Amino acid sequence: MKERHVLRHTVTGIAGLAIASLALTGCSGSSDPNTSGSGDAASSGTTKIDGTGKTLNVLVGANGLYPEEQKAWFESVSAKFEEATGAKVAFETFASANDELTKIQTSVLSGQGPDIYGLGTTFTPTAFSTGAFVTLGDAEWEKLGGRDKFVESLLGISGPSESEEVGIPFASRPFVMAYNTELLKAAGITEPPTTWDDLTADAKKLTGNGVYGLAVGYADGYDPWKFIWGMAEQAGNPILDLKDKKATIDDPAVAAAYETYFGWYSDGSVDPASIGWKNSNAVAAFADGKAAFLPMVSASSKVALDASAVKDSYAYAVLPTVPPGESARPADGVEAASILSGDNWVVANYSQNQDLAFELIRILTEPDAQLEYFATFGEMPTTVAAAEQVQKDNPSLAPLLDAAAKSVGTPFTGAWGDTQLALTNVVVQALPKLQSGSVSDADIDAALADANSAAQSSLDKAK
C-alpha cells in the first residue's frame, strides 16, 4: 500500500470527553448474590412495588461469548423480580448495532416496544436525540438509590449534560489487548507494543508454526469500527466535527487506519478464517494459544481465558495509543486508549410500567447484583461500591482501569449511530476483496467517500 500524508484536525466539542480514573471510594459490597442488596426493596428505603400479573419487556444485546450464561441470567432475573414484585421480565435480544438502531427507530415511530433498553454507550446519543426516553431528574435517581451510587466518570455519556441524562450505567467495558506472555518471551519481546506500527511488526514476527500474531474478528458486528475510530482520534481526527458540523471520514488518517486494519489480513498475521470471525471466535483462538495478541477485548474475556489453555500465560495491556505511520502521537492527537464504552439502561417514555422499570434497574445496579454479573460475564461494575471491590480483588485488571482513565467518549450526537454503522459498512464491503488478496487504496477511498456522505447526511439532520 502507498504511503499517505496524514492530515490532522483539532479535536472539537465533546468528542474529547475522557473518563476519569476508577480509583474509587466508598464501602465494599458483599460478593454473595443472595444477600438483601440484590433484590430487597425495603433494604434501600424504597417502597415495595406491586407488579402482580405484569410483564416488563427488556431489550439487550445478545452475548455471543456467553450465550448459555446469558440465558440463565435472564431466567434468574425474572424469577427474582417476580418474587420481589410479582412482575415477570421478558428479555429480547439484538445481534448487531444495525439491529439495535432499527429497534430504537421502530419503537419510537410506533410508540410501543420494550419498557427498558440496554444500549451500548455509543447509541445513547441516538436514543437521547429521539426524545423518547425518560430524562433522569431527582425523583428518578432517588428510585435508583441516588446518582452518587454510580461512578461519576461513567455518567459522561448518559446525556449531553447532567440535567439532560437518559442513560443509567450498568456495565463498564474499557477495551484493551490481551497478549500471550510465553510467546512474547520466546520471541525476545520484553513488553507489549505501544504504537500500532510496533504491534503490526510484532505480529509479523510472532506468526508461524501454526500461531498467528493477532486474533481479530473481521466479521464482528461491533468491533471493527472501534479500531478505526481509535486510530483516527490518535491522529487528531474525531470522525465528526460537531463545531463545524462536518463529517471527516474521508480524511487520510481514517484511510491509514483501514489500511493497517486490513493489512493484518493481507500480510498473513491473522488466521485466514478470521475473515468470517466474530469476537467470540477471536477470543477462542487466543484461548487455545493460537494467537499472540488479542486486541480490542474487554474484561469479559477474563472468564473464558481463566478457564483456558493460556490461563497462566496471558496478561492485559493498554491498546497502542500512537496512530499508524507515527512513532509518537501528534500534538493534536488524543490518547484515546479506548472508547468510553459499556451499557446503559434507558426507560421508554411510552412505558406503562415505569415504576417497575426503575425498580428492576435499581436491583440490577445494587452492589451484589453487579458483582454477580462481573463474576459471570466479566463486565466491569458501574456502581462505586462494586467497582471498588472488583479493583481490590483483581489486580490483573489494572490495565483496564488505566484504559478507562484514558478513554474518550464518541461524539454526543444523534448522528453517531449512523456514523458508526457507516464505519462498519466499510469493513463489510471490503471483506470479499480482502479475502481475494487485498483491498486497494482506490477501493478504500471510494468506500470512505460513501461512508462520509452517509455520516454527513445524518449529521445535517441531527438536532
Side-chain angles (χ1 to χ4, degrees):
M1 296 181 181
K2 67 185 180 184
E3 292 185 0
R4 295 179 182 267
H5 175 66
V6 179
L7 300 178
R8 304 184 181 103
H9 300 277
T10 302
V11 178
T12 59
I14 61 172
L17 281 174
I19 184 171
S21 170
L22 291 182
L24 303 168
T25 59
C27 59
S28 300
S30 167
S31 60
D32 181 2
N34 296 314
T35 56
S36 62
S38 62
D40 184 357
S43 68
S44 68
T46 61
T47 302
K48 182 176 176 62
I49 297 172
D50 184 5
T52 304
K54 296 183 178 181
T55 298
L56 268 182
N57 293 294
V58 181
L59 178 73
V60 298
N63 192 315
L65 195 58
Y66 307 114
E68 293 305 314
E69 289 84 352
Q70 186 181 45
K71 182 179 178 181
W73 184 77
F74 289 163
E75 294 172 352
S76 174
V77 168
S78 184
K80 290 178 181 178
F81 194 63
E82 185 173 16
E83 181 180 356
T85 68
K88 296 181 180 180
V89 183
F91 287 93
E92 178 186 356
T93 62
F94 55 84
S96 69
N98 189 58
D99 290 345
E100 186 176 10
L101 181 59
T102 299
K103 188 65 178 181
I104 293 173
Q105 293 171 333
T106 301
S107 297
V108 168
L109 287 173
S110 66
Q112 59 185 359
D115 298 286
I116 301 172
Y117 295 67
L119 301 179
T121 49
T122 61
F123 267 78
T124 302
T126 299
F128 174 84
S129 71
T130 67
F133 298 94
V134 176
T135 299
L136 304 169
D138 291 343
E140 286 74 28
W141 285 118
E142 184 177 350
K143 291 177 184 178
L144 298 168
R147 189 176 182 276
D148 60 358
K149 169 182 175 179
F150 300 89
V151 176
E152 176 67 26
S153 57
L154 299 181
L155 293 160
I157 203 163
S158 291
S161 69
E162 185 173 332
S163 63
E164 300 174 287
E165 292 169 332
V166 296
I168 303 157
F170 174 60
S172 174
R173 198 177 301 117
F175 288 94
V176 293
M177 64 179 173
Y179 62 97
N180 187 306
T181 55
E182 290 184 357
L183 291 176
L184 265 65
K185 181 179 180 180
I189 300 173
T190 58
E191 58 185 19
T194 58
T195 77
W196 290 104
D197 286 358
D198 285 346
L199 175 60
T200 297
D202 286 350
K204 289 180 181 178
K205 184 176 181 179
L206 289 159
T207 298
N209 301 317
V211 173
Y212 294 91
L214 294 156
V216 178
Y218 281 94
D220 193 82
Y222 299 101
D223 285 356
W225 72 268
K226 298 183 183 101
F227 285 96
I228 308 308
W229 178 85
M231 294 177 191
E233 276 278 2
Q234 292 159 11
N237 181 351
I239 301 295
L240 293 181
D241 183 337
L242 298 185
K243 181 179 179 181
D244 294 330
K245 207 169 184 180
K246 181 182 179 182
T248 55
I249 294 176
D250 56 355
D251 187 272
V254 183
Y258 278 107
E259 288 174 1
T260 294
Y261 184 68
F262 293 144
W264 298 331
Y265 187 90
S266 57
D267 70 13
S269 294
V270 298
D271 190 320
S274 65
I275 202 79
W277 281 3
K278 306 294 186 184
N279 173 266
S280 57
N281 301 117
V283 172
F286 180 84
D288 286 340
K290 301 294 180 61
F293 292 103
L294 175 64
M296 204 60 69
V297 71
S298 71
S300 63
S301 62
K302 187 177 187 299
V303 177
L305 298 182
D306 283 350
S308 76
V310 300
K311 64 180 181 179
D312 297 319
S313 57
Y314 84 92
Y316 292 113
V318 173
L319 283 160
T321 56
V322 176
E326 304 285 356
S327 58
R329 192 168 54 257
D332 58 353
V334 178
E335 197 164 19
S338 171
I339 65 169
L340 181 52
S341 179
D343 292 321
N344 285 335
W345 295 121
V346 294
V347 177
N349 277 332
Y350 57 71
S351 171
Q352 300 298 305
N353 299 305
Q354 289 186 15
D355 283 344
L356 279 171
F358 280 105
E359 177 63 4
L360 176 62
I361 297 171
R362 183 195 69 78
I363 290 172
L364 294 178
T365 54
E366 287 296 278
D368 296 321
Q370 289 248 294
L371 291 171
E372 181 181 17
Y373 196 79
F374 169 77
T376 304
F377 301 103
E379 300 280 22
M380 302 286 279
T382 59
T383 52
V384 173
E388 182 190 44
Q389 191 66 43
V390 167
Q391 180 179 355
K392 177 182 177 182
D393 294 344
N394 297 272
S396 66
L397 296 180
L400 284 100
L401 299 174
D402 190 17
K406 297 172 181 175
S407 293
V408 174
T410 49
F412 200 98
T413 168
W416 183 255
D418 288 331
T419 301
Q420 179 177 316
L421 292 175
L423 292 171
T424 300
N425 285 339
V426 173
V427 177
V428 173
Q429 295 165 11
L431 292 186
K433 292 181 179 179
L434 187 62
Q435 191 170 20
S436 299
S438 63
V439 183
S440 70
D441 290 342
D443 290 332
I444 292 176
D445 288 341
L448 294 191
D450 289 342
N452 199 72
S453 178
Q456 185 65 56
S457 176
S458 186
L459 190 59
D460 290 341
K461 299 173 184 175
K463 295 180 182 179

